[in-house]
């Protein structure tokens, strides 16, 4: 039989000093934990306040973004031009009412190239299209501009209806053509008047019984020459209408003055005027449009005739001045008021009731096209002088 033994546990003697140290350490740790807890509470309160402020700011930003979104929506809806947003797959993901009005429905979700094939026709002008004729809408002309593609492949298309603007531009171009045609017709009539009058004067002489055969032949030859001159003028105007470039030729100044004398002197004689020619150009010549320059000089000589009285002299002069060839026409008329001198070159401005107001405008246009200039010297005591300066090296 087994006997149970009782084990006696003897109490361990307690070290009082160690116990005090343990309590002190415990108290110190408790105080540190209490401090950390209070610090955490303070941080939590601070973060809670900052979170409330951040939430308020986010709420305000959200409201501002909603307001901005509403304003953008109103703006897109009010825009007269169409706006189409394409995603990275070139499909329409957003449109405004103007785009629907221009291109028709539906648009959302469709591929852009499908819309082009089904609803648009290309024109000769890049980015401009014609809408295909539909039963409920008339054909429109539109212009489509594209923004740059962003990093995701999205882009924005701007669609503008330019039908009315295009029609207005076409009307403006038509009016400009009509204006040009009117000015051209007036120019032609003005250019033809003097050589035609000369030809008629020669033709009237041909009917005189007092003419000898040699004189009759002389007047017949001069009449034919003036008719050829008229033909050249008409051909030049036709070339101008067709856009042909005028052929330049070498024009000797002495020959030009002789031609002007032949054209204008018969009419001056008929009006009891004396033409005096001073040719100081020596052997100078110009590479220029002979007919245009001759026509401009005839206009100046005609003006001098109209400003002169019977018995007056008209001086046609050529000279060389530094790098310019100078042509001038002087009359002994009553002169031109200083306030009117510059306006004389304006188209359709005239001081005569029977004038067209194109003669001097044509002169300035012709001379400026030759890189020259026109100047007026006029006073009541000395009459009027028109001075043309043309560069000598024009044909080099």
């Amino acid at each position: 039989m087994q006997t149970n033994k009782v084990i006696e546990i003897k109490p361990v003697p307690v070290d009082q000093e160690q116990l005090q140290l343990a309590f002190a350490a415990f108290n110190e740790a408790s105080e540190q934990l209490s401090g950390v807890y209070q610090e955490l509470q303070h941080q939590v309160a601070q973060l809670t306040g900052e979170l409330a402020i951040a939430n308020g700011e986010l709420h305000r930003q959200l409201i501002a973004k909603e307001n901005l979104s509403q304003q953008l929506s109103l703006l897109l809806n009010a825009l007269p031009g169409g706006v189409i947003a394409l995603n990275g797959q070139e499909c329409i993901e957003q449109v405004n009412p103007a785009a629907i009005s221009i291109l028709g429905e539906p648009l959302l979700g469709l591929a852009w190239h499908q819309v082009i094939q089904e609803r648009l026709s290309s024109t000769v002008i890049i980015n401009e299209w014609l809408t295909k004729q539909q039963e409920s809408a008339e054909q429109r002309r539109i212009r489509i501009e594209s923004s740059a593609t962003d990093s995701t492949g999205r882009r924005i298309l701007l669609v503008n209806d330019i039908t009315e603007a295009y029609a207005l531009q076409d009307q403006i171009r038509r009016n400009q053509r009509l204006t040009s045609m009117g000015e051209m017709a007036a120019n032609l009539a003005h250019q033809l008047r003097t050589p035609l009058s000369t030809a008629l004067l020669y033709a009237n002489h041909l009917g005189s019984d007092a003419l000898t055969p040699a004189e009759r032949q002389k007047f017949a030859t001069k009449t034919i020459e003036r008719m050829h001159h008229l033909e050249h003028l008409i051909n030049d105007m036709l070339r101008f209408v067709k856009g042909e470039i005028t052929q330049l030729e070498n024009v000797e100044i002495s020959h030009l003055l002789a031609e002007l004398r032949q054209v204008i002197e018969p009419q001056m004689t008929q009006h009891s005027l004396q033409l005096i020619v001073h040719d100081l150009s020596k052997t100078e010549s110009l590479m220029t449009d002979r007919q245009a320059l001759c026509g401009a000089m005839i206009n100046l000589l005609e003006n001098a005739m109209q400003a002169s009285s019977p018995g007056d002299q008209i001086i046609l002069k050529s000279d060389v001045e530094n790098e310019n060839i100078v042509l001038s026409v002087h009359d002994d008329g009553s002169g031109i008021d200083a306030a009117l001198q510059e306006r004389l070159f304006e188209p359709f401005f005239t001081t005569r009731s029977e004038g067209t107001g194109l003669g001097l405008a044509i002169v300035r246009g012709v001379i400026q096209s030759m890189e020259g200039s026109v100047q007026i010297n006029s006073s009541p005591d000395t009459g009027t002088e028109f001075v043309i300066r043309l560069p000598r090296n024009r044909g080099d």
Side-chain angles (χ1 to χ4, degrees):
M1 179 176 180
Q2 187 178 1
T3 303
N4 294 328
K5 293 182 179 181
V6 179
I7 301 174
E8 183 179 2
I9 302 174
K10 295 181 180 182
V12 179
V14 177
D15 188 343
Q16 190 68 29
E17 184 178 355
Q18 291 182 352
L19 185 61
Q20 289 178 352
L21 290 173
F23 274 113
F26 177 77
N27 289 335
E28 184 179 355
S30 296
E31 289 177 358
Q32 288 178 355
L33 288 174
S34 177
V36 170
Y37 179 73
Q38 290 178 359
E39 180 66 25
L40 287 174
Q41 282 185 326
H42 176 72
Q43 291 180 1
V44 168
Q46 184 178 357
L47 290 174
T48 301
E50 292 176 355
L51 182 61
I53 294 174
N55 286 336
E57 183 64 26
L58 288 175
H59 183 66
R60 285 192 294 271
Q61 290 180 3
L62 180 61
I63 293 176
K65 289 181 179 180
E66 289 179 351
N67 291 335
L68 180 60
S69 177
Q70 291 178 358
Q71 292 175 2
L72 289 176
S73 297
L74 292 174
L75 180 61
L76 285 176
N77 292 336
L79 281 176
V83 179
I84 299 175
L86 303 180
N87 60 22
Q89 290 72 42
E90 289 289 298
C91 291
I92 300 174
E93 60 180 8
Q94 188 176 357
V95 295
N96 70 336
I100 296 174
S101 175
I102 295 172
L103 298 176
E105 290 187 301
L107 286 176
L108 286 175
L110 296 181
W112 176 239
H113 68 85
Q114 179 184 351
V115 175
I116 292 178
Q117 291 177 357
E118 295 178 353
R119 307 184 191 182
L120 299 177
S121 301
S122 61
T123 66
V124 295
I125 302 178
I126 190 171
N127 295 335
E128 291 190 8
W129 306 79
L130 294 174
T131 58
K132 291 184 178 179
Q133 198 74 27
Q134 301 177 2
E135 295 181 359
S136 58
E138 61 179 343
Q139 188 178 55
R140 313 293 293 176
R141 190 180 187 96
I142 63 175
R143 182 172 181 85
I144 302 176
E145 301 287 351
S146 174
S147 68
T149 303
D150 65 11
S151 58
T152 63
R154 288 183 169 87
R155 61 192 180 107
I156 302 295
L157 301 179
L158 300 180
V159 184
N160 292 308
D161 188 340
I162 60 172
T163 306
E164 295 182 0
Y166 191 82
L168 182 60
Q169 289 179 353
D170 188 58
Q171 183 178 357
I172 291 173
R173 286 192 294 267
R174 184 164 53 250
N175 290 340
Q176 288 175 341
R177 287 195 299 269
L178 291 175
T179 301
S180 298
M181 290 176 61
E183 292 178 352
M184 181 193 66
N187 190 349
L188 180 60
H190 197 87
Q191 296 284 352
L192 295 180
R193 184 176 61 186
T194 298
L196 181 59
S197 299
T198 305
L200 289 174
L201 184 62
Y202 288 146
N204 287 333
H205 286 309
L206 290 174
S208 174
D209 296 333
L211 291 178
T212 63
E215 292 174 334
R216 193 180 303 277
Q217 180 63 39
K218 176 182 175 182
F219 283 119
T221 301
K222 289 185 176 182
T223 302
I224 293 174
E225 288 176 353
R226 291 304 92 207
M227 291 300 178
H228 282 311
H229 180 65
L230 290 172
E231 182 183 20
H232 287 313
L233 286 175
I234 294 173
N235 288 335
D236 288 342
M237 295 302 294
L238 291 176
R239 285 199 299 270
F240 171 77
V241 172
K242 295 177 182 179
E244 297 179 8
I245 300 175
T246 302
Q247 295 294 327
L248 301 181
E249 58 180 300
N250 190 54
V251 179
E252 189 171 336
I253 303 303
S254 296
H255 292 171
L256 175 67
L257 265 58
E259 182 178 356
L260 292 173
R261 178 194 287 272
Q262 183 182 10
V263 171
I264 205 72
E265 193 169 34
Q267 295 186 53
M268 289 193 178
T269 302
Q270 188 178 27
H271 290 85
S272 300
L273 299 173
Q274 183 181 3
L275 176 65
I276 298 176
V277 179
H278 294 311
D279 183 10
L280 304 178
S281 64
K282 300 178 181 178
T283 59
E284 289 288 336
S285 61
L286 288 171
M287 185 64 68
T288 188
D289 182 348
R290 172 186 292 271
Q291 295 295 339
L293 181 56
C294 186
M297 294 303 299
I298 288 175
N299 282 334
L300 295 181
L301 289 167
E302 280 188 328
N303 281 351
M305 286 174 54
Q306 292 161 358
S308 300
S309 301
D312 285 350
Q313 292 182 344
I314 296 176
I315 300 174
L316 173 63
K317 181 180 177 181
S318 67
D319 202 350
V320 179
E321 179 185 276
N322 297 326
E323 296 302 318
N324 295 321
I325 291 178
V326 182
L327 300 172
S328 63
V329 175
H330 180 273
D331 65 67
D332 295 327
S334 58
I336 303 172
D337 186 81
L340 299 178
Q341 289 184 17
E342 184 60 27
R343 292 203 62 195
L344 289 177
F345 293 104
E346 296 179 7
F348 305 109
F349 176 81
T350 180
T351 57
R352 302 191 308 272
S353 58
E354 73 280 3
T356 64
L358 283 174
L360 293 178
I362 293 171
V363 171
R364 170 172 279 185
V366 168
I367 300 306
Q368 287 181 346
S369 70
M370 298 176 179
E371 302 178 4
S373 64
V374 185
Q375 178 184 351
I376 303 177
N377 299 321
S378 182
S379 66
D381 298 331
T382 60
T384 301
E385 182 183 41
F386 286 89
V387 181
I388 291 176
R389 288 180 173 85
L390 296 170
R392 295 172 63 183
N393 59 349
R394 177 170 172 77
D396 294 343

